[in-house]
Amino acid sequence: QVQLVESGGGLVQAGGSLRLSCAASEFTPALYAMSWFRQAPGKEREGVSCISSTDTTYYADSVRGRFTISRDNAKDMVYLQMNDLKPEDTAVYYCVLTGSQYCSLSRPEHATWGQGTQVTVSP
């Protein structure tokens, strides 16, 4: 069964950094686009970043220049390095597999989601 497990969330002060990790099992993430979404309290889930199967990267305007998505194909891992964090980055962050090679930051109709990891940024 395809599984995504996120880790690396936590509490950090504004301006700090965190690195989120996504461990994939029962499939080869290198063959697919992998995305990070987030959901803040009372808000819709939104696309944060995506890396295509050819390693082209995409970012939401709100995080471009601060976040970096990457993957380690040898370890079946996907990462999200988050720098210069802001209180508005507070959310549950999800690793997402849509099954496509191509990226989209729109919420997918069909996808496999991880359980999420909480990121809290204090002022």
Side-chain angles (χ1 to χ4, degrees):
Q1 183 177 355
V2 171
Q3 192 171 16
L4 300 168
V5 179
E6 303 95 335
S7 61
L11 173 64
V12 64
Q13 287 187 328
S17 298
L18 285 173
R19 188 176 84 152
L20 305 184
S21 299
C22 172
S25 59
E26 302 303 323
F27 75 102
T28 303
L31 300 179
Y32 301 98
M34 296 297 299
S35 303
W36 288 94
F37 278 68
R38 68 185 180 186
Q39 187 167 22
K43 294 188 176 181
E44 297 286 324
R45 287 187 186 183
E46 62 173 352
V48 174
S49 183
C50 181
I51 183 166
S52 75
S53 62
T54 56
D55 288 344
T56 302
T57 57
Y58 301 83
Y59 299 94
D61 289 343
S62 58
V63 307
R64 187 175 294 111
R66 301 187 297 121
F67 290 12
T68 303
I69 191 171
S70 62
R71 60 164 98 226
D72 184 335
N73 293 334
K75 297 181 178 179
D76 289 343
M77 296 288 293
V78 180
Y79 304 101
L80 186 68
Q81 177 68 42
M82 306 186 296
N83 297 328
D84 190 23
L85 283 161
K86 303 177 180 181
E88 51 264 42
D89 295 318
T90 294
V92 178
Y93 284 71
Y94 298 91
C95 182
V96 182
L97 166 71
T98 63
S100 172
Q101 296 176 312
Y102 307 104
C103 277
S104 172
L105 294 183
S106 299
R107 182 170 178 175
E109 290 190 12
H110 305 286
T112 299
W113 296 75
Q115 85 288 351
T117 186
Q118 176 71 48
V119 171
T120 303
V121 184
S122 63

